[in-house]
Amino acid sequence: RNFFTKRTKELKPAVQSAPGWKLFGKVPPRENLPKDSKIIQQEYEARTGRMYKPPPPSARRKNIEFEPLSTTALILEDRPANLPAKSVEEALRHRQEYDEMVAEAKKREIKEAHKRKKIMRARFKQEENIASAMVIWVNEILPNWEGMRATRRVRELWWQGLPPSVRGKVWSLAVGNELNITPELYEIFLSRAKERWKSFSETSSENDTEEAGASVADREASLELIKLDISRTFPSLYIFQKGGPYHDLLHSVLGAYTCYRPDVGYVQGMSFIAAVLILNLEEADAFIAFANLLNKPCQLAFFRVDHSMMLKYFAAFEVFFEENLPKLFLHFKSYSLTPDIYLIDWIFTLYSKSLPLDLACRVWDVFCRDGEEFLFRTGLGILRLYEDILLQMDFIHIAQFLTKLPEDITSEKLFSCIAAIQMQNSNKKWAQVFASLMKDNKEGDKNHSPALKS
């Protein structure tokens, strides 16, 4: 028990006097008696020949945020006694350099402070607008939905973005329920999906099912494909990943839909649409809105991969592309860059994969108000926003850029570009242009896209 006692007592004096302590700044108490602050100040004044005058409290408080928090002030100190003293010119130069650094630091700090204040003011203003808009939506518009939804005041308020607290409700009302789906019907198809998944895992793998000659819809609706896509849905949020709070919910909605619409099945991109709805609606309501949304003509054409219909949508898009952005239109034409190269991904996910989530929700707001026309108008708005950049690019770089848009895109800039897009060609609106293309079957052949054909 007392094995080290004697040796420790013998070494104690040696440790205190060991020179190694000084190397690491730990001088024993006997060699480093604490000095009074006044004595330290007097020694400093005697060494430098300068009197220290503390600034008044108010001035110190005023300028404290601009004090340099680094060792740059050391350039003003005199050199140690064992080194040559600074010349007058060198001392003046150091003083000038120090003053310039402090002035530059002050400028940066003032600039950052103004930037922070501007951001905070914008945030407060946005929050106030959302709060006041929410009161109007809850107390005035939603109780009188049918009578007020088409009024100019409501449409202008709608354009500015829906308050998050009423977004889901407005989406449900705007999308409607033409399919007359009930929560009970959702539970029925969900139970069918669960039975199907269970039998899928018990009987055979997906490869066995393919060998057995299962339909394309059955293969696309398989559990493995849905699971794979769910893990890719908003991966940065983690809430849809395995073990996340919305993983099973998203799985249920997608599985129930594949049983409800076996003719459509599950198609990649659906998971993003279902995820956005789940974030804003309850489970059954999200399924109802999801099924009705995919039943719209544009979404049905894309998710069923109806080539002839898709080509007509692309042809209509190019009509307004040429009308609004003629230079960029010709630039794309020179590289044979067709709309399907970038539009398919945008339309399939309703921009929820391509744009930041909050901005995608605002696009959804107006999409629920204006219908499919706004999807293509948003595409033109994106092209207008980045027109100058795209004009300098070749085919490969344009395709890469439009496939993965910059993450710093803001709603103000994008919606100002969208507002500048005129959806009118020769006094014809989108619906009229698209209807004329539908009548002319040859128009699809003229605008046939090589990329889509492949």
Side-chain angles (χ1 to χ4, degrees), residues 207-333:
N207 293 332
D208 297 333
T209 309
E210 289 180 11
E211 292 173 3
S215 65
V216 175
D218 284 339
R219 291 202 304 271
E220 289 185 334
S222 69
L223 177 63
E224 294 303 318
L225 184 56
I226 293 177
K227 276 185 176 179
L228 184 64
D229 245 19
I230 289 176
S231 64
R232 299 169 179 168
T233 306
F234 299 120
S236 60
L237 297 181
Y238 298 105
I239 56 177
F240 295 105
Q241 309 304 305
K242 191 170 182 61
Y246 290 104
H247 175 271
D248 295 339
L249 196 58
L250 181 56
H251 199 190
S252 298
V253 170
L254 294 173
Y257 181 77
T258 59
C259 290
Y260 174 69
R261 291 297 300 265
D263 59 320
V264 179
Y266 176 76
V267 182
Q268 286 184 325
M270 286 183 177
S271 61
F272 280 89
I273 298 176
V276 174
L277 291 170
I278 286 170
L279 290 174
N280 291 277
L281 291 162
E282 296 296 327
E283 183 176 352
D285 294 329
F287 176 80
I288 293 170
F290 181 70
N292 280 277
L293 193 60
L294 298 192
N295 197 51
K296 303 293 182 184
C298 181
Q299 278 63 51
L300 207 56
F302 276 79
F303 281 111
R304 295 179 82 168
V305 196
D306 186 339
H307 282 208
S308 62
M309 284 290 292
M310 291 171 73
L311 288 171
K312 289 178 176 61
Y313 277 109
F314 294 145
F317 173 81
E318 287 196 305
V319 168
F320 293 96
F321 187 3
E322 185 177 13
E323 179 74 22
N324 287 274
L325 304 167
K327 288 184 180 179
L328 191 61
F329 177 79
L330 291 175
H331 185 64
F332 278 29
K333 278 290 183 184

Side-chain angles (χ1 to χ4, degrees), residues 311-446:
L311 288 171
K312 289 178 176 61
Y313 277 109
F314 294 145
F317 173 81
E318 287 196 305
V319 168
F320 293 96
F321 187 3
E322 185 177 13
E323 179 74 22
N324 287 274
L325 304 167
K327 288 184 180 179
L328 191 61
F329 177 79
L330 291 175
H331 185 64
F332 278 29
K333 278 290 183 184
S334 66
Y335 286 111
S336 299
L337 199 149
T338 50
D340 51 280
I341 293 174
Y342 51 92
L343 265 184
I344 285 180
D345 194 40
W346 294 352
I347 302 299
F348 260 103
T349 60
L350 302 180
Y351 296 95
S352 56
K353 182 182 176 183
S354 308
L355 298 175
L357 184 56
D358 58 337
L359 180 52
C361 285
R362 189 173 170 190
V363 170
W364 278 47
D365 292 343
V366 188
F367 162 62
C368 290
R369 187 194 78 172
D370 294 350
E372 63 185 35
E373 174 187 330
F374 190 73
L375 294 178
F376 297 94
R377 189 180 180 188
T378 300
L380 293 173
I382 293 172
L383 296 179
R384 182 185 179 90
L385 178 61
Y386 296 110
E387 181 178 14
D388 294 338
I389 299 173
L390 294 171
L391 285 171
Q392 308 301 321
M393 294 182 178
D394 57 12
F395 180 94
I396 297 296
H397 290 93
I398 292 172
Q400 290 175 342
F401 183 88
L402 295 179
T403 301
K404 185 172 176 57
L405 295 170
E407 295 180 358
D408 60 349
I409 183 171
T410 61
S411 60
E412 291 77 14
K413 291 181 179 178
L414 177 58
F415 269 77
S416 65
C417 290
I418 295 173
I421 298 296
Q422 299 297 322
M423 297 301 285
Q424 193 165 336
N425 176 262
S426 301
N427 295 324
K428 287 184 179 181
K429 295 184 178 180
W430 168 269
Q432 295 170 318
V433 170
F434 187 75
S436 64
L437 289 170
M438 288 289 289
K439 291 178 183 178
D440 189 1
N441 294 327
K442 295 181 180 180
E443 190 69 23
D445 297 331
K446 292 178 183 178

Side-chain angles (χ1 to χ4, degrees), residues 60-119:
R60 184 162 56 231
R61 175 68 62 183
K62 183 177 180 181
N63 297 323
I64 194 162
E65 60 179 321
F66 302 121
E67 288 294 325
L69 302 177
S70 68
T71 57
T72 55
L74 291 175
I75 64 174
L76 298 179
E77 294 291 337
D78 293 329
R79 287 181 181 145
N82 59 337
L83 294 176
K86 291 182 183 180
S87 64
V88 178
E89 293 80 5
E90 188 178 9
L92 289 173
R93 180 165 54 84
H94 283 179
R95 163 59 69 178
Q96 184 179 359
E97 290 174 356
Y98 174 72
D99 291 340
E100 288 175 358
M101 283 190 286
V102 171
E104 194 64 31
K106 285 182 180 180
K107 287 181 182 178
R108 283 198 303 269
E109 183 65 26
I110 292 171
K111 188 176 180 180
E112 288 295 323
H114 285 317
K115 187 177 179 181
R116 287 194 297 268
K117 286 180 180 179
K118 187 177 179 180
I119 292 172

Side-chain angles (χ1 to χ4, degrees), residues 176-231:
N177 188 11
E178 293 180 357
L179 300 174
N180 296 318
I181 303 174
T182 61
E184 293 75 20
L185 189 64
Y186 166 65
E187 293 297 333
I188 292 171
F189 284 109
L190 178 58
S191 62
R192 286 185 189 177
K194 288 179 179 178
E195 291 174 4
R196 186 178 181 181
W197 295 335
K198 187 178 180 182
S199 63
F200 235 52
S201 58
E202 289 176 354
T203 56
S204 62
S205 66
E206 187 178 352
N207 293 332
D208 297 333
T209 309
E210 289 180 11
E211 292 173 3
S215 65
V216 175
D218 284 339
R219 291 202 304 271
E220 289 185 334
S222 69
L223 177 63
E224 294 303 318
L225 184 56
I226 293 177
K227 276 185 176 179
L228 184 64
D229 245 19
I230 289 176
S231 64

Side-chain angles (χ1 to χ4, degrees), residues 4-60:
F4 294 104
T5 306
K6 186 176 180 181
R7 186 173 181 81
T8 305
K9 288 181 180 178
E10 290 174 357
L11 291 174
K12 191 173 182 181
V15 170
Q16 287 182 349
S17 60
W21 283 99
K22 294 182 180 180
L23 294 175
F24 296 98
K26 293 183 178 181
V27 182
R30 292 181 304 176
E31 301 179 19
N32 187 28
L33 295 174
K35 294 182 181 180
D36 186 73
S37 59
K38 291 183 178 179
I39 297 174
I40 296 173
Q41 181 179 336
Q42 289 171 2
E43 290 179 356
Y44 172 78
E45 292 172 356
R47 187 172 69 252
T48 60
R50 290 180 291 185
M51 293 294 291
Y52 173 71
K53 294 182 180 180
S58 59
R60 184 162 56 231

